[in-house]
Amino acid sequence: LFTVGRLDVATMGLLLVTNDGEWANHVAHPSSGVGKEYIATCADKVQRTHIQRIADGVMVEGTKVVPLEVSMFDPEGRTGAGAKVAQRKIRIVVGEGKKREVRALVANAGLDLKTLKRV
């Protein structure tokens, strides 16, 4: 069996398992164009300036990494008390998924990451 993707010990989320090694290599390789999507929950309310800093990218292991997409995350479209929780969540899509790339992007924006989930 072959796994598609990997997660560090502090990240929860989806991994695919297949018996098709060729497909697994194709999907996992950055040239496939398949993004890796994460939902980051932060300790503080996320501002537009945080989103922009994440979008600007960060250096990871000597390479500048920039997310493919970054946005506030609230699939429910909540208002009121529910919206306050949603204001702490960010959707980040990366292409390559370098070691701790998403964590570095969030930290560089000045946010304290509470949970990270790959979806």
Side-chain angles (χ1 to χ4, degrees):
L1 291 178
F2 302 91
T3 59
V4 179
R6 64 186 189 283
L7 300 173
D8 66 31
V9 70
T11 303
M12 61 182 139
L14 178 68
L15 289 177
L16 300 175
V17 179
T18 180
N19 63 354
D20 186 340
E22 185 176 327
W23 180 84
N25 286 331
H26 170 73
V27 171
H29 197 274
S31 67
S32 71
V34 175
K36 295 147 184 72
E37 183 175 342
Y38 295 85
I39 304 302
T41 303
C42 302
D44 302 310
K45 181 178 174 183
V46 178
Q47 306 289 336
R48 286 191 177 120
T49 55
H50 295 124
I51 298 294
Q52 186 57 54
R53 292 236 16 219
I54 292 169
D56 290 342
V58 69
M59 294 296 289
V60 175
E61 297 179 346
T63 302
K64 173 99 180 219
V65 294
V66 178
L68 301 174
E69 299 176 41
V70 59
S71 61
M72 298 296 289
F73 179 76
D74 183 11
E76 309 286 327
R78 291 175 283 208
T79 59
K84 289 183 181 180
V85 173
Q87 292 171 347
R88 300 179 194 288
K89 294 188 176 194
I90 309 167
R91 176 180 170 268
I92 302 171
V93 180
V94 297
E96 190 170 340
K98 282 191 159 294
K99 184 177 179 181
R100 299 189 178 271
E101 175 179 354
V102 175
R103 292 178 183 281
L105 288 163
V106 172
N108 188 59
L111 291 166
D112 181 20
L113 183 65
K114 291 298 180 190
T115 63
L116 185 61
K117 182 176 184 179
R118 176 137 180 221
V119 293

